[in-house]
Amino acid sequence: METFADYILSEKDYIKKMEIAYYLHKREGIFFDTSVILKTEIARMFIEKMKLDVDENLVITACLLCGCKKSNNPQDFTRFKSYAKDGAEYLKTLGFDDRFCKICEEMNRYSGSEPREPESDILELVDNFCGMILDRPERRGFPLDEALVLMEYRNLKGKYNRYLEDFKKFVYLKEEVQA
């Protein structure tokens, strides 16, 4: 019997995969908004442009679903530290294997899971970066270069992320193309 995990992971078309996540949102009430789409697109472009040796399908699927238990209320601090772990546990019920759930849980560092999966480092970067560049009710989004500096020297200060230097190059390449 095919699980939801088998179904979405077997879908190779990027747009159809997004539609599947959207319909899961409608049916199950998981967190899914335009920020999820932005993060997924940035992850996809980062992997392709920098020719990273990771399973792109796995990262894209994880990017679409890793925040599934995130609160729609940004002021809900009680769930902020646990939503990635709660999401990983939920994804397990949908048939995802332990490694996929670990990747999703490690999107942030609150669970303390070590050693980290390479794909988790990608999710961490795009989650942090998009959180900085998007407007929020309490502030405007940061310019790309400022977001990178804040991400590196505040959010990830003292933390090792194997793709940080590649991500910075990627963002600066994209910034040059847009100029």
Side-chain angles (χ1 to χ4, degrees), residues 66-81:
C66 67
C68 63
K69 290 300 177 179
K70 189 174 183 176
S71 173
N72 282 325
N73 178 2
Q75 305 305 319
D76 187 359
F77 295 111
T78 59
R79 293 199 43 212
F80 182 73
K81 289 188 175 185

Side-chain angles (χ1 to χ4, degrees), residues 92-110:
K92 186 84 169 153
T93 69
L94 298 179
F96 289 97
D97 65 22
D98 289 339
R99 182 167 184 269
F100 183 89
C101 294
K102 183 177 188 287
I103 289 166
C104 292
E105 180 181 328
E106 292 174 345
M107 170 194 64
N108 61 37
R109 296 185 184 246
Y110 292 116

Side-chain angles (χ1 to χ4, degrees), residues 44-58:
R44 185 190 65 76
M45 291 187 314
F46 175 52
I47 292 166
E48 289 177 4
K49 184 70 174 173
M50 302 311 286
K51 298 176 177 35
L52 301 182
D53 187 23
V54 294
D55 181 341
E56 184 178 342
N57 182 49
L58 183 74

Side-chain angles (χ1 to χ4, degrees), residues 11-178:
E11 180 57 67
K12 301 301 182 202
D13 182 274
Y14 178 61
I15 301 301
K16 287 181 182 172
K17 190 179 288 284
M18 252 189 245
E19 287 174 352
I20 293 167
Y22 172 75
Y23 287 118
L24 182 65
H25 155 72
K26 286 295 193 188
R27 183 171 170 223
E28 297 289 323
I30 68 164
F31 181 83
F32 187 87
D33 68 2
T34 55
S35 71
V36 174
I37 295 167
L38 176 66
K39 290 172 190 178
T40 305
E41 181 61 12
I42 289 175
R44 185 190 65 76
M45 291 187 314
F46 175 52
I47 292 166
E48 289 177 4
K49 184 70 174 173
M50 302 311 286
K51 298 176 177 35
L52 301 182
D53 187 23
V54 294
D55 181 341
E56 184 178 342
N57 182 49
L58 183 74
V59 174
I60 286 172
T61 306
C63 213
L64 288 168
L65 299 173
C66 67
C68 63
K69 290 300 177 179
K70 189 174 183 176
S71 173
N72 282 325
N73 178 2
Q75 305 305 319
D76 187 359
F77 295 111
T78 59
R79 293 199 43 212
F80 182 73
K81 289 188 175 185
S82 67
Y83 79 84
K85 187 167 182 55
D86 295 344
E89 290 169 7
Y90 171 72
L91 294 172
K92 186 84 169 153
T93 69
L94 298 179
F96 289 97
D97 65 22
D98 289 339
R99 182 167 184 269
F100 183 89
C101 294
K102 183 177 188 287
I103 289 166
C104 292
E105 180 181 328
E106 292 174 345
M107 170 194 64
N108 61 37
R109 296 185 184 246
Y110 292 116
S111 72
S113 177
E114 291 288 338
R116 289 175 56 81
E117 298 291 332
E119 296 84 357
S120 301
D121 281 354
I122 295 169
L123 296 182
E124 177 181 55
L125 290 170
V126 298
D127 185 57
N128 270 276
F129 185 69
C130 290
M132 305 288 269
I133 64 172
L134 290 172
D135 290 342
R136 295 187 175 204
E138 71 276 8
R139 65 154 175 82
R140 299 221 10 112
F142 293 100
L144 300 182
D145 58 340
E146 206 173 317
L148 280 177
V149 169
L150 287 169
M151 185 174 78
E152 180 176 11
Y153 294 104
R154 184 184 70 188
N155 296 11
L156 298 178
K157 184 178 180 178
K159 309 234 181 346
Y160 172 71
N161 185 303
R162 75 194 85 218
Y163 297 114
L164 179 59
E165 293 305 314
D166 287 332
F167 192 76
K168 288 173 13 185
K169 289 177 195 168
F170 164 74
V171 171
Y172 287 125
L173 284 172
K174 288 295 178 196
E175 199 171 47
E176 288 171 13
V177 170
Q178 291 175 352

